[in-house]
């Protein structure tokens, strides 16, 4: 029997992403983490890896005024599974903002039934989704896995096109800076972000986040030169609302040599968003992409007796038999 079965599905997430508390039962075995919801119905959990061009969407998070990425993913899941939105309990790892892209957004959903093969539902989802949203992977997940709360780190990239005019092919995926930037100064400044800090000075207020921990751990912050393109790569344990774009905005000012690199720890120490506003405006969304969400291996293991991960199907054309003359 597939061990990704959960006795009782997680309650639909509130705006703040909370879930009902898990309730163990006497049937716990094979390491399954049993949870109960208001219906008490059993089910199976599935993990999605999703890529999207966020240009025409109002972010990931479901809201009453679409279009959002979550709205479209839930719509096609409802069509493919014949389930209601509240039963699917779709949760994303990151609430990407309006205009922000993703290559490695991770989400999970639940169904009251199992799939012997998930290649078919994978193909169905991509066949129903608009062309700027794609499910890259789908796999069974252990009941303990949670797309948001199990994440141990996230990697974001921010692209800056630094030339006198903007490459028209990059306009939706990079920020254009006509000011000549100093990458060495930006690299020096980025090092000050690394480590565990209170990032209150780099967070915008969000009505959706009722409770937040302003202390985050930044594992790396690289500035990579790729011709006219500068790619800023940051990995951290988590990020506050618009934190990445606010860090980038300060690095842009430092790259323009309007500010020295050592201003970063000075602003961090204030823990005051108004202090950052004195020096930098926030960077626009189109340069930002969620690239990867990392998890511990135990959360990514495939449950025993379940389908393997689907990466999509390649189609082939059978050999054509030509008449001999």
């Amino acid at each position: 029997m597939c061990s990704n079965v959960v006795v009782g599905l997680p309650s639909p997430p509130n705006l703040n992403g909370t879930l009902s508390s898990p309730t163990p039962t006497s049937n716990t075995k094979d390491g399954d983490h049993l949870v109960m919801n208001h219906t008490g119905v059993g089910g199976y959990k599935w993990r999605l890896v999703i890529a999207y061009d966020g240009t025409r969407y109002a972010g990931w998070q479901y809201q009453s005024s679409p279009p959002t990425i979550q709205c479209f993913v839930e719509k096609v899941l409802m069509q493919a599974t014949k389930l209601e939105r509240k039963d699917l309990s779709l949760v994303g790892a990151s609430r990407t903002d309006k205009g922000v892209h993703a290559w490695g957004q991770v989400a999970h959903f639940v169904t009251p039934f199992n799939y012997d093969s998930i290649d078919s539902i994978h193909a169905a989802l991509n066949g129903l989704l608009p062309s700027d949203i794609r499910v890259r992977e789908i796999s069974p997940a252990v009941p303990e896995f949670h797309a948001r709360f199990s994440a141990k780190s996230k990697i974001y990239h921010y692209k800056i096109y630094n030339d006198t005019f903007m490459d028209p092919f990059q306009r939706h995926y990079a920020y254009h800076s006509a000011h000549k930037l100093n990458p060495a100064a930006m690299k020096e400044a980025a090092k000050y972000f690394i480590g565990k800090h209170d990032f209150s000075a780099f967070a915008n207020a969000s009505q959706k986040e009722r409770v937040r921990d302003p202390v985050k751990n930044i594992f790396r912050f690289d500035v990579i030169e790729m011709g006219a393109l500068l790619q800023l790569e940051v990995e951290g344990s988590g990020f506050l609302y618009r934190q990445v774009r606010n860090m980038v905005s300060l690095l842009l000012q430092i790259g323009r040599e309007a500010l020295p690199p050592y201003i970063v720890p000075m602003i961090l120490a204030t823990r005051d968003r108004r202090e950052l506003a004195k020096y930098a405006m926030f960077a626009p969304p189109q340069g930002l992409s969620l690239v990867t969400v990392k998890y511990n291996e135990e959360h990514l293991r495939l449950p025993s007796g379940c389908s393997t991960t689907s990466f999509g199907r390649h189609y082939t054309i059978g050999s054509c038999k030509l008449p001999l003359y």
Side-chain angles (χ1 to χ4, degrees):
M1 179 180 175
C2 174
S3 63
N4 72 331
V5 62
V6 289
V7 178
L9 307 184
S11 298
N14 299 323
L15 285 178
N16 64 1
T18 60
L19 294 171
S20 58
S21 300
T23 304
T25 75
S26 59
N27 294 326
T28 301
K29 61 180 180 178
D30 300 326
D32 286 351
H33 185 180
L34 307 181
V35 294
M36 298 295 293
N37 78 336
H38 63 284
T39 65
V41 178
Y44 298 83
K45 185 173 283 188
W46 309 93
R47 181 178 66 93
L48 302 172
V49 179
I50 307 169
Y52 49 84
D53 177 339
T55 303
R56 68 186 186 99
Y57 298 100
W60 162 267
Q61 188 71 7
Y62 181 89
Q63 57 188 32
S64 57
S65 55
T68 68
I69 306 296
Q70 185 174 357
C71 284
F72 277 91
V73 174
E74 285 184 340
K75 180 180 178 181
V76 301
L77 280 171
M78 289 165 65
Q79 288 179 262
T81 64
K82 311 301 181 186
L83 297 172
E84 297 297 321
R85 175 177 181 261
K86 63 180 177 63
D87 299 322
L88 290 166
S89 300
L90 179 70
V91 178
S94 179
R95 299 170 178 176
T96 56
D97 209 359
K98 179 179 180 180
V100 174
H101 315 294
W103 173 248
Q105 172 72 284
V106 177
H108 75 256
F109 69 98
V110 291
T111 60
F113 44 77
N114 192 16
Y115 287 99
D116 292 331
S117 172
I118 50 181
D119 283 340
S120 295
I121 187 174
H122 192 175
L125 294 177
N126 282 335
L128 293 167
L129 282 166
S131 59
D132 49 5
I133 306 174
R134 281 293 175 266
V135 174
R136 292 175 48 216
E137 300 175 24
I138 180 170
S139 63
V142 292
E144 298 88 352
F145 174 79
H146 190 284
R148 185 180 179 196
F149 299 132
S150 299
K152 68 175 186 177
S153 74
K154 298 173 185 176
I155 299 175
Y156 284 91
H157 289 182
Y158 193 97
K159 293 183 179 180
I160 303 165
Y161 195 80
N162 190 205
D163 208 343
T164 54
F165 62 88
M166 183 61 174
D167 180 344
F169 293 101
Q170 296 280 353
R171 71 190 189 281
H172 293 310
Y173 312 106
Y175 166 67
H176 178 221
S177 175
H179 293 85
K180 184 63 178 175
L181 300 176
N182 181 345
M186 296 172 73
K187 290 176 184 179
E188 182 182 347
K191 292 178 182 177
Y192 288 111
F193 287 117
I194 297 173
K196 189 175 288 187
H197 304 285
D198 184 323
F199 282 94
S200 296
F202 290 85
N204 286 21
S206 172
Q207 295 178 350
K208 295 179 182 178
E209 294 286 351
R210 296 181 182 178
V211 179
R212 64 174 191 170
D213 179 4
V215 177
K216 303 297 177 185
N217 195 0
I218 302 300
F219 305 124
R220 67 180 181 94
F221 203 147
D222 301 322
V223 179
I224 300 172
E225 300 175 64
M226 304 163 64
L229 201 65
L230 283 178
Q231 183 162 284
L232 279 57
E233 301 183 0
V234 59
E235 179 177 0
S237 60
F239 298 93
L240 302 174
Y241 182 53
R242 292 195 177 171
Q243 178 187 333
V244 175
R245 287 161 62 188
N246 286 330
M247 292 190 296
V248 169
S249 70
L250 186 61
L251 291 181
L252 281 167
Q253 289 295 81
I254 293 168
R256 292 166 184 156
E257 299 182 336
L259 297 168
Y262 60 78
I263 198 170
V264 173
M266 294 171 62
I267 294 176
L268 276 169
T270 68
R271 303 179 184 180
D272 188 346
R273 177 64 179 83
R274 293 171 295 182
E275 192 66 22
L276 177 64
K278 296 176 182 178
Y279 302 101
M281 302 292 289
F282 70 88
Q286 72 270 17
L288 186 62
S289 296
L290 172 63
V291 176
T292 305
V293 183
K294 293 184 177 181
Y295 299 91
N296 291 323
E297 287 299 319
E298 62 265 26
H299 287 131
L300 293 181
R301 66 178 176 85
L302 291 176
S304 59
C306 284
S307 307
T308 57
T309 301
S310 172
F311 297 98
R313 291 187 294 205
H314 286 285
Y315 294 91
T316 58
I317 298 175
S319 58
C320 180
K321 296 181 178 179
L322 298 176
L324 298 175
Y325 295 100

